[in-house]
Amino acid sequence: MRTQLARDLGLEFPIFAFSHCRDVVAAVSRAGGMGVLGALYFTPEELEIELKWIEEHVDGKPYGVDLVMPAKVQLPEGVKAEDLEGQLEAMISQEHRDWVEKVLAEHDVAPLPEGESGHHLLGWTDATARPQIDVAFQHSPALLVNALGPPPKDIVDAAHERGIKVAALASNVRHAQKHVANGVDIIVAQGTEAGGHTGEISSMVLWPQVIDAIKPVPVPVLAAGGIATGGQIAGALALGAQGVWTGSIWLTVAESDMTPLVLEKLMEADSSQTVRSRALSGKPARQLRTEWTDAWDRPDCPGYLPMPLQFMLVADVMSRVARSNNRELTGMPVGQVVGMMNRVRPVRDVMQTLVEEYIEAVERLDALNA
Ligand SMILES: Cc1cc2nc3c(=O)[nH]c(=O)nc-3n(C[C@H](O)[C@H](O)[C@H](O)COP(=O)(O)O)c2cc1C
């Protein structure tokens, strides 16, 4: 598995693991892959604490930070994130708020206790992601990743000045080419089976297209979406990927911070029980199908709001559902590999199995060729 990219980044295995949980990130890096922290849900102050902790727990091994900077959500210049949140909240219609309350009332979900409302805007606007980048630059991640759209050129340049490589997710060839034009070092080609925001093209069709399209540059490609076994890693490397980028499988490791109910639902679900829904953020994101995602298809639903308003509308709903432990409404972004996530094991064991399965797959092919 010693691809050129693995060598360049000082990795034992070119296995990248996206997670919002610092324990998972650090454990993957320590086990020879690269843990990448999803920074979206953290304020700059919280991110500072998380990155400091990770650096203290990776034994000097490389780790990454993932931000969400959708190019299309540009906000008025000079507007501070604090003021922005109030202005955006005012754009959410009463009809939407009333409908959400109606669905929650149907499931007896109680309001949050006084003062427990979370922060709603998150880092998915340029104005709110930049302070997170400033924090990341005060630390020493080996990799900065952007989830939605091409990362702004000035940020790519600033990362390069600090010796940090930049990766970006792409769900079609056009995205990948745009990233390359902006100076991105690594393309993560993510098929529709992936958990979280995802496009429409399946991994098996997307990976070779992206690899071929940007081969002349050349920029390494990581294969993402639907990877849960070492055999799949062998398949991705056989197609020309320089490594794999995974997310879902780390939700059910022993180090993960999932609640018992979410963990139970993930273990129970099969691969047909996810849906690409706009219910979470306004953009299609694959997640467990629940009565909450179904409600958004009902005739009485006033429709989705654009990003970032949709998440601002539903952020407290997520907290309320979690508090009430409501089984029907409880969901989680996860990919189709949820059907292969049936055991809780420590990160180190999962990594070891991936490597063993990879070797078995390569040996199977060698035997065919002998
Ligand atoms: C719970 C969850 C949250 C995610 N959130 C983000 C995110 O904030 N930023 C991002 O770049 N990708 C996010 N993703 C996508 C992952 O980075 C990754 O591309 C994807 O999980 C790969 O496909 P897989 O789920 O089949 O492994 C998320 C995935 C999951 C499962």
Side-chain angles (χ1 to χ4, degrees), residues 27-102:
V28 171
S29 287
R30 281 199 309 272
M34 186 184 282
V36 180
L37 182 75
L40 177 64
Y41 292 99
F42 299 118
T43 63
E45 296 73 29
E46 290 163 347
L47 184 61
E48 167 65 32
I49 295 168
E50 301 299 294
L51 296 186
K52 187 166 177 288
W53 187 93
I54 288 172
E55 283 183 350
E56 287 165 1
H57 291 82
V58 287
D59 299 345
K61 301 274 177 63
Y63 73 93
V65 181
D66 176 287
L67 299 149
V68 182
M69 291 184 290
K72 284 190 189 133
V73 191
Q74 292 296 347
L75 295 156
E77 250 182 61
V79 177
K80 286 208 206 102
E82 306 90 83
D83 306 335
L84 191 67
E85 186 150 358
Q87 289 175 20
L88 291 171
E89 289 279 3
M91 292 168 73
I92 300 173
S93 77
Q94 196 55 45
E95 186 193 2
H96 277 89
R97 295 193 189 278
D98 291 346
W99 180 79
V100 163
E101 284 307 325
K102 181 176 147 193

Side-chain angles (χ1 to χ4, degrees), residues 64-328:
V65 181
D66 176 287
L67 299 149
V68 182
M69 291 184 290
K72 284 190 189 133
V73 191
Q74 292 296 347
L75 295 156
E77 250 182 61
V79 177
K80 286 208 206 102
E82 306 90 83
D83 306 335
L84 191 67
E85 186 150 358
Q87 289 175 20
L88 291 171
E89 289 279 3
M91 292 168 73
I92 300 173
S93 77
Q94 196 55 45
E95 186 193 2
H96 277 89
R97 295 193 189 278
D98 291 346
W99 180 79
V100 163
E101 284 307 325
K102 181 176 147 193
V103 177
L104 293 179
E106 288 166 10
H107 291 269
D108 298 323
V109 175
L112 284 180
E114 196 73 35
E116 283 217 5
S117 174
H119 49 276
H120 297 165
L121 182 52
L122 305 186
W124 48 36
T125 65
D126 191 78
T128 46
R130 281 185 186 260
Q132 295 180 321
I133 293 166
D134 292 341
V135 172
F137 283 164
Q138 281 154 29
H139 292 266
S140 38
L143 186 67
L144 191 68
V145 188
N146 192 34
L148 296 173
K153 181 83 176 72
D154 64 301
I155 290 174
V156 176
D157 293 343
H160 287 164
E161 277 165 26
R162 291 164 175 78
I164 302 172
K165 283 196 189 296
V166 181
L169 270 67
S171 47
N172 59 45
V173 168
R174 195 173 37 85
H175 287 165
Q177 286 167 333
K178 265 196 188 166
H179 295 337
V180 170
N182 270 23
V184 164
D185 307 290
I186 301 165
I187 301 297
V188 180
Q190 189 204 244
T192 188
E193 8 339 33
H197 291 112
T198 181
E200 288 172 312
I201 308 170
S202 74
S203 289
M204 198 47 128
V205 173
L206 178 73
W207 298 342
Q209 281 187 45
V210 171
I211 290 165
D212 274 4
I214 63 171
K215 201 189 285 168
V217 182
V219 168
V221 174
L222 296 177
I227 293 176
T229 71
Q232 291 169 305
I233 298 177
L237 299 194
L239 288 170
Q242 285 275 315
V244 295
W245 174 272
T246 53
S248 295
I249 55 169
W250 309 107
L251 294 173
T252 50
V253 290
E255 292 86 344
S256 169
D257 56 3
M258 294 293 105
T259 65
L261 177 58
V262 172
L263 191 61
E264 205 180 302
K265 290 200 73 172
L266 290 171
M267 303 298 259
E268 277 172 6
D270 67 35
S271 291
S272 69
Q273 286 166 319
T274 70
V275 62
R276 243 175 113 245
S277 165
R278 292 179 186 267
L280 186 63
S281 70
K283 287 183 187 282
R286 188 172 300 284
Q287 52 203 287
L288 282 180
R289 183 178 169 190
T290 63
E291 290 193 18
W292 173 249
T293 56
D294 283 353
W296 288 87
D297 294 328
R298 286 178 2 186
D300 65 333
C301 171
Y304 304 104
L305 293 169
M307 184 181 256
L309 301 184
Q310 179 76 16
F311 183 82
M312 295 175 74
L313 172 67
V314 306
D316 281 349
V317 173
M318 303 296 121
S319 314
R320 288 168 64 179
V321 169
R323 270 185 152 269
S324 70
N325 226 23
N326 183 290
R327 176 168 276 276
E328 294 78 38

Side-chain angles (χ1 to χ4, degrees), residues 17-40:
F18 171 93
S19 175
H20 292 116
C21 174
R22 65 186 187 184
D23 298 80
V24 176
V25 170
V28 171
S29 287
R30 281 199 309 272
M34 186 184 282
V36 180
L37 182 75
L40 177 64

